[in-house]
């Protein structure tokens, strides 16, 4: 199960559809706290998380994880990518806007 | 030695001597050989504060306090030797101290025998005191002139310099001999100041004063020195002179330039910082719609390949919605830029526009259980564009709505009232006071506390720029315990 976190509901909806169609099981959350609660109780293969959200940043989400998981950071900001890419806990960085194919490629290893 | 000889008193003084003594222009007395007074003038009585005539009295009886040295001098005069002093001190019996200029001259008969002494004396106490005071005050003024850190210069109205102090010489780099030996004001003034100088001279002529104004002098070494000048006219014996006060403002200029440099650097830095923040916010706001467009385009592509067109409509809608969102942000940005002229304004009824705007959103508030409290009691008109002002009101009410809609106390209050020369609108919510870090950034473009897609972070920023364009303001009411925004518009003339 992939957990997708983004405060943009439209992106949550469309990526859920695209990933599911590609055979990747996904749960999307617009609220990071809810996502963390879900991860704590459910087997999670990887997390894809937006960087800038009103409640907390992607890195704060990473800090709240109770275990080590593949963590992909998505950012629409300028200049965030280099900074967070240096964090060893971040598996990969996706810069918005990215091609849907790129996300599929990245998450291909987690196909059920 | 010489004692009282009453018989000689009657001999008196010869008429010529008496006439001289009585008419001479300073205090004078004549004594006979026995030191009895045979003649004196009125000035003598006044100078020594005597009680009227002392004719016939012994000199030592008149002045019992006469010091020994003067008694000795009288002896010398009686022996035929004239004595005099330009300045002597006379300690009077009444405690008075007088400074005296005196002379003792023997007077003789035709045979050359000494018959007595003519005493002239002047009380120069006051003269001396005046001289001392004058000297003292001159000394002080001279010391001021020489030591003044401000350049001082006296010149004729022709500009010919007469006196320059050390500070002024230091500024222009000439010696006192050079400066006050034929140099004129005009020798050191660059031609480009001619017009300014003419104006200062006109001012001097009309008011007796000139300056303060700033110019440059050409120093002896050819370099220019910036100075601040002011001065005034003085008149002596029908001739007019100009006193000038001259300050070297080189250091001040350098300091001002430095401060200006720092200000520009700080401004540049803050511009860059704002630009950076704006760019980051802008990127975030625009990149989300772009990501949405790409994702839906991908699904469109897939749908077409599969021949399943059931999702095409939704995808097209989502793409258009995303384009619209991005466009809204761009439009907002354009409005923020000063180059975009605002729409034409008219004197409008602020209360009416506010009420109309509230009609548009009251249903939405009611549906979410938010109480809308309206107190519209202004009568004033303000020069605005009606649509823009209602946009501002709607923006404030929507912000208030977003702040309270998930809270237990859901109330939004809108007021309008007339203030002195202004029409005001306040929008207040029960969302509690804003945290300090939010207050500080409230009006920054792209700053938002709302979730993605719910706020562009431009609302307050655009509202403020709309209001400022018509001479109004938009402020957070810092005194309110609630979140309260106040719009102030100048009353239309």
């Amino acid at each position: 199960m992939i957990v997708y976190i983004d405060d943009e509901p439209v992106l949550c909806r469309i990526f859920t559809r695209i990933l599911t169609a590609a055979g990747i099981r996904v749960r999307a959350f617009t609220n990071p706290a809810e996502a963390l609660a879900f991860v704590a109780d459910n087997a999670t293969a990887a997390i894809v998380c937006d960087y800038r959200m009103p409640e907390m940043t992607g890195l704060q989400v990473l800090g709240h994880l109770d275990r080590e998981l593949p963590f992909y950071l998505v950012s629409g900001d300028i200049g965030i990518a280099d900074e967070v890419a240096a964090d060893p806990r971040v598996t990969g960085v996706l810069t918005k806007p990215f091609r849907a194919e790129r996300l599929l490629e990245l998450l291909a290893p987690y196909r059920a | 030695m010489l004692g009282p000889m009453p018989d000689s008193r009657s001999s008196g003084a010869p008429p010529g001597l008496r006439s001289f003594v009585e008419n001479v222009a300073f205090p004078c007395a004549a004594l006979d050989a026995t030191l009895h007074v045979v003649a004196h003038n009125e000035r003598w009585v006044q100078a020594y504060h005597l009680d009227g005539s002392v004719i016939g009295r012994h000199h030592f009886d008149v002045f019992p306090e006469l010091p020994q040295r003067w008694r000795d001098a009288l002896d010398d005069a009686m022996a035929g030797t004239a004595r005099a002093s330009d300045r002597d001190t006379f300690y009077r019996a009444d405690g008075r101290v007088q400074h005296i200029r005196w002379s003792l001259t023997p007077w003789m008969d035709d045979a050359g025998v000494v018959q007595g002494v003519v005493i002239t004396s002047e009380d120069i106490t006051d003269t001396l005191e005046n001289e001392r005071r004058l000297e003292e005050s001159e000394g002080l003024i001279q010391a001021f002139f020489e030591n003044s850190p401000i350049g001082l210069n006296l010149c004729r109205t022709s500009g010919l310099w007469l006196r320059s102090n050390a500070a002024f010489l230091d500024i222009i780099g000439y010696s006192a001999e050079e400066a006050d030996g034929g140099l004129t004001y005009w020798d050191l003034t660059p031609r480009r100041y001619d017009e300014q100088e003419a104006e200062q001279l006109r001012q001097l002529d009309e008011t007796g004063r000139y300056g303060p104004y700033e110019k440059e002098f050409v120093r002896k070494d050819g370099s220019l020195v910036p100075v601040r000048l002011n001065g005034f006219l003085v008149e002596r014996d029908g001739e007019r002179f100009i006193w000038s006060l001259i300050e070297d403002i080189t250091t001040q200029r350098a300091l001002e330039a430095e401060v200006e440099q720092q200000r520009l650097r700080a401004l540049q830095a803050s511009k860059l910082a704002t630009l950076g923040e704006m760019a980051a916010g802008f990127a975030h706001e625009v990149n989300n719609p772009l990501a949405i467009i790409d994702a839906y385009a991908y699904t469109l592509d897939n749908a077409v390949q599969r021949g399943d067109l059931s999702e095409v409509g939704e995808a097209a809608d989502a793409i258009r919605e995303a384009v619209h969102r991005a466009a809204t942000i761009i439009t907002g940005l354009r409005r923020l830029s000063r180059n975009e002229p605002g729409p034409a304004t008219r004197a409008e009824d602020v209360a009416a526009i506010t009420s109309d705007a509230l009609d548009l959103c009251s249903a939405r508030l009611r549906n979410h259980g938010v109480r809308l409290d309206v107190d519209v009691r202004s009568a004033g008109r303000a020069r605005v564009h009606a649509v823009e002002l209602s946009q501002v009101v709607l923006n404030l009410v929507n912000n208030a709505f977003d702040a309270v809609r998930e809270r237990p106390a859901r109330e939004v209050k809108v007021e309008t009232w007339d203030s002195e020369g202004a029409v005001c609108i306040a929008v207040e919510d029960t969302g509690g006071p804003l945290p300090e870090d939010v207050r500080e950034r409230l009006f920054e473009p792209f700053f938002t506390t709302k979730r993605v897609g719910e706020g562009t972070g431009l609302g307050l920023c655009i509202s403020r720029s709309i209001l400022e364009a018509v001479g109004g303001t938009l402020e957070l009411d810092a005194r309110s315990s609630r979140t309260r925004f106040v719009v102030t518009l100048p009353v239309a003339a």
Side-chain angles (χ1 to χ4, degrees):
Chain A
M1 174 74 73
I2 300 291
V3 169
Y4 180 84
I5 314 170
D6 195 319
D7 62 322
E8 170 60 67
V10 184
L11 283 177
C12 284
R13 196 163 62 236
I14 186 62
F15 283 131
T16 302
R17 192 177 301 166
I18 289 171
L19 292 172
T20 306
I24 298 168
R25 289 179 58 213
V26 60
R27 276 293 301 269
F29 295 89
T30 54
N31 184 325
E34 284 174 20
L36 282 168
F38 177 86
V39 171
D41 296 338
N42 294 277
T44 306
I47 296 174
V48 179
C49 183
D50 192 27
Y51 178 77
R52 188 202 278 227
M53 295 177 287
E55 292 86 0
M56 58 180 94
T57 69
L59 282 185
Q60 285 169 325
V61 173
L62 181 58
H64 281 107
L65 285 179
D66 60 351
R67 61 190 185 277
E68 218 168 282
L69 284 170
F71 193 91
Y72 297 91
L73 206 57
V74 179
S75 165
D77 291 50
I78 293 167
I80 302 288
D82 295 343
E83 210 177 297
V84 297
D87 192 315
R89 298 170 299 171
V90 176
T91 316
V93 175
L94 275 172
T95 304
K96 280 182 190 168
F98 51 84
R99 289 181 156 272
E101 289 90 337
R102 173 90 185 99
L103 183 66
L104 286 170
E105 193 182 300
L106 213 60
L107 298 179
Y110 309 104
R111 191 170 281 143
Chain B
M1 221 185 51
L2 290 166
M5 290 173 70
D7 57 327
S8 64
R9 268 167 60 186
S10 56
S11 67
L17 179 65
R18 188 191 307 277
S19 172
F20 168 78
V21 168
E22 284 173 0
N23 294 301
V24 73
F26 35 81
C28 186
L31 308 181
D32 64 12
T34 63
L35 299 185
H36 284 80
V37 180
V38 293
H40 66 75
N41 58 9
E42 187 53 30
R43 290 172 200 273
W44 182 260
V45 175
Q46 282 166 9
Y48 297 102
H49 311 280
L50 305 175
D51 296 328
S53 170
V54 291
I55 300 286
R57 287 177 62 188
H58 193 273
H59 189 53
F60 293 174
D61 177 37
V62 177
F63 297 108
E65 67 270 54
L66 217 57
Q68 189 56 46
R69 65 176 192 284
W70 285 1
R71 296 176 189 238
D72 294 347
L74 271 171
D75 286 346
D76 290 347
M78 281 303 179
T81 309
R83 294 285 306 272
S85 169
D86 272 345
R87 184 179 165 182
D88 212 337
T89 311
F90 186 16
Y91 297 93
R92 301 297 306 275
D94 61 7
R96 210 190 295 261
V97 178
Q98 288 177 295
H99 295 284
I100 309 288
R101 175 188 294 145
W102 55 263
S103 71
L104 298 177
T105 312
W107 57 276
M108 300 158 191
D109 61 11
D110 296 342
V113 178
V114 175
Q115 298 296 312
V117 176
V118 177
I119 308 174
T120 69
S121 83
E122 265 180 286
D123 183 342
I124 56 170
T125 311
D126 288 350
T127 317
L128 280 179
E129 179 60 17
N130 286 343
E131 270 173 21
R132 193 189 62 76
R133 282 197 188 144
L134 196 63
E135 236 168 64
E136 202 168 74
S137 116
E138 262 185 4
L140 286 173
I141 288 168
Q142 185 64 24
F144 162 76
F145 181 78
E146 281 163 7
N147 297 311
S148 163
I150 292 174
L152 298 172
N153 169 267
L154 179 71
C155 71
R156 292 187 193 281
T157 46
S158 66
L160 182 73
W161 282 340
L162 301 172
R163 281 187 79 184
S164 306
N165 75 346
F168 181 56
L169 295 170
D170 198 43
I171 291 171
I172 59 173
Y174 284 92
S175 71
E177 292 71 30
E178 290 166 331
D180 302 335
L183 265 184
T184 77
Y185 185 85
W186 306 108
D187 295 333
L188 269 64
T189 298
R191 288 282 75 81
R192 67 171 174 279
Y193 290 105
D194 282 357
E195 207 171 301
Q196 189 180 333
E197 294 295 338
E199 166 61 24
Q200 294 300 327
L201 277 176
R202 200 184 53 74
Q203 194 183 323
L204 184 68
D205 213 41
E206 279 177 10
T207 66
R209 293 179 169 273
Y210 77 88
Y213 75 109
E214 290 175 8
K215 61 172 277 186
E216 288 166 308
F217 274 132
V218 185
R219 304 184 84 239
K220 190 184 180 184
D221 63 12
S223 61
L224 291 170
V225 54
V227 289
R228 181 178 297 117
L229 292 165
N230 66 102
F232 48 89
L233 272 179
V234 288
E235 213 170 300
R236 292 291 285 180
D237 302 324
E239 193 180 350
R240 306 206 298 174
F241 300 90
I242 305 166
W243 269 116
S244 295
L245 288 74
I246 307 104
E247 282 173 278
D248 183 344
I249 53 171
T250 309
T251 318
Q252 190 187 328
R253 280 276 171 85
L255 217 62
E256 282 168 2
E258 175 64 21
V259 167
E260 178 62 11
Q261 274 292 318
Q262 274 174 4
R263 196 187 66 82
L264 286 177
R265 274 200 292 271
L267 192 69
Q268 191 69 12
S270 87
K271 266 187 185 168
L272 283 175
T274 307
L275 194 67
E277 275 168 26
M278 273 184 68
F282 180 77
H284 187 260
E285 295 302 326
V286 173
N287 281 334
N288 267 342
L290 287 178
I292 293 168
I293 291 166
D294 184 86
Y296 274 102
Y298 171 86
T299 60
L300 271 181
D301 195 26
N302 269 3
V304 170
Q305 280 180 22
R306 287 199 314 271
D308 172 10
L309 301 184
S310 63
E311 288 172 7
V312 168
E314 186 205 329
D317 283 349
I319 287 173
R320 296 183 70 183
E321 171 61 25
V323 168
H324 180 71
R325 255 173 69 183
T328 307
I329 289 155
I330 308 279
T331 310
L333 266 186
R334 194 191 298 152
R335 170 135 337 126
L336 276 180
S337 82
R338 297 267 160 141
N339 299 335
E340 183 87 349
T345 60
R346 290 197 334 211
E348 302 274 9
D349 182 341
V350 171
I353 292 175
T354 306
S355 296
D356 289 351
L358 292 176
D359 287 346
L360 290 176
C361 58
S362 59
R364 179 159 166 252
L365 268 66
R366 207 167 40 240
N367 291 342
H368 284 81
V370 175
R371 204 174 99 87
L372 179 62
D373 185 2
V374 180
D375 182 9
V376 172
R377 58 190 141 86
S378 71
R381 289 175 171 271
R383 186 157 283 281
V384 293
H385 182 260
V387 174
E388 282 199 339
L389 183 59
S390 55
Q391 195 182 328
V392 169
V393 173
L394 281 175
N395 176 248
L396 291 174
V397 173
N398 280 336
N399 283 350
F401 169 71
D402 286 339
V404 300
R405 66 176 176 178
E406 281 166 12
R407 288 184 166 258
R410 287 181 292 240
E411 193 183 318
V412 173
K413 186 177 179 186
V414 179
E415 299 166 77
T416 75
W417 70 96
D418 294 311
S419 181
E420 213 169 293
V423 192
C424 302
I425 308 169
V427 178
E428 180 181 306
D429 66 58
T430 47
L434 298 171
E436 189 55 37
D437 58 328
V438 173
R439 281 166 179 262
E440 278 172 13
R441 304 190 57 192
L442 217 43
F443 292 97
E444 281 179 23
F446 297 114
F447 177 75
T448 180
T449 56
K450 298 183 188 177
R451 303 172 70 87
V452 164
E454 287 175 3
T456 58
L458 291 173
L460 285 176
C461 186
I462 290 172
S463 293
R464 181 178 257 186
S465 91
I466 286 172
L467 294 169
E468 284 178 351
V470 295
T473 58
L474 172 60
E475 300 291 345
L476 177 69
D477 184 351
R479 287 165 308 177
S480 176
S481 59
R482 295 177 165 184
T483 301
R484 177 181 161 98
F485 286 91
V486 178
V487 171
T488 308
L489 289 160
V491 168

